[in-house]
Amino acid sequence: MDRGEQFVRLFLQNQRRIYGLILALVPNGPDADDIHQETCAVLWEKFGEVEAGTNFSAWALRIARYQVMAYYTTKRRTKARLSDETLDAVVEKMAARPEREDARSAALDGCLGDLPEPDRQMIELRYRGGASVEEVAR
């Protein structure tokens, strides 16, 4: 597997966790979306510097934290800014969750595999594909 494919797999496994951290630290949805997009760009740009075997989740969450800090610095939102200690605590908490979430994800995949194909496709369309309820109903 080449590095690009490796990045995509690792990123997709951790994308919700990364966005969840950003959204927890920046409650304004559009700003969180912008920070997430910038974080994704930085992750891709710097992935070549990461040694194989590095904990991707912890690394990605650390990058997201730096992007949030940059956001607060740029926007000069000092009243709403969380302390560095709080940011670190949230990142550590999020980084400690991958094992539990991976186990839950594997169990969910097993359950989905037991469903009849049309039912499984409907669920995947809604929750993995991001289709609206109206789109799934059609």
Side-chain angles (χ1 to χ4, degrees), residues 77-90:
R77 295 185 181 191
T78 54
K79 289 181 184 175
R81 188 183 186 297
L82 299 171
S83 70
D84 289 346
E85 293 80 20
T86 302
L87 290 173
D88 288 339
V90 172

Side-chain angles (χ1 to χ4, degrees), residues 49-89:
E49 302 169 15
V50 175
E51 290 183 34
T54 297
N55 181 335
F56 182 87
S57 180
W59 173 75
L61 292 172
R62 199 168 37 254
I63 298 291
R65 176 198 183 278
Y66 291 132
Q67 294 306 121
V68 168
M69 289 174 57
Y71 160 80
Y72 281 122
T73 300
T74 301
K75 295 291 184 179
R76 302 201 190 286
R77 295 185 181 191
T78 54
K79 289 181 184 175
R81 188 183 186 297
L82 299 171
S83 70
D84 289 346
E85 293 80 20
T86 302
L87 290 173
D88 288 339

Side-chain angles (χ1 to χ4, degrees), residues 22-36:
I22 294 168
L23 197 55
L25 299 175
V26 181
N28 180 336
D31 288 346
D33 291 345
D34 291 345
I35 295 166
H36 182 250

Side-chain angles (χ1 to χ4, degrees), residues 12-23:
L12 290 176
Q13 289 171 355
N14 291 280
Q15 182 177 11
R16 284 188 294 194
R17 189 173 303 120
I18 296 165
Y19 186 72
L21 171 70
I22 294 168
L23 197 55

Side-chain angles (χ1 to χ4, degrees), residues 122 125-126 129-138:
M122 180 178 63
L125 180 65
R126 173 66 177 111
S132 69
V133 173
E134 292 81 15
E135 292 169 332
V136 172
R138 275 189 243 124

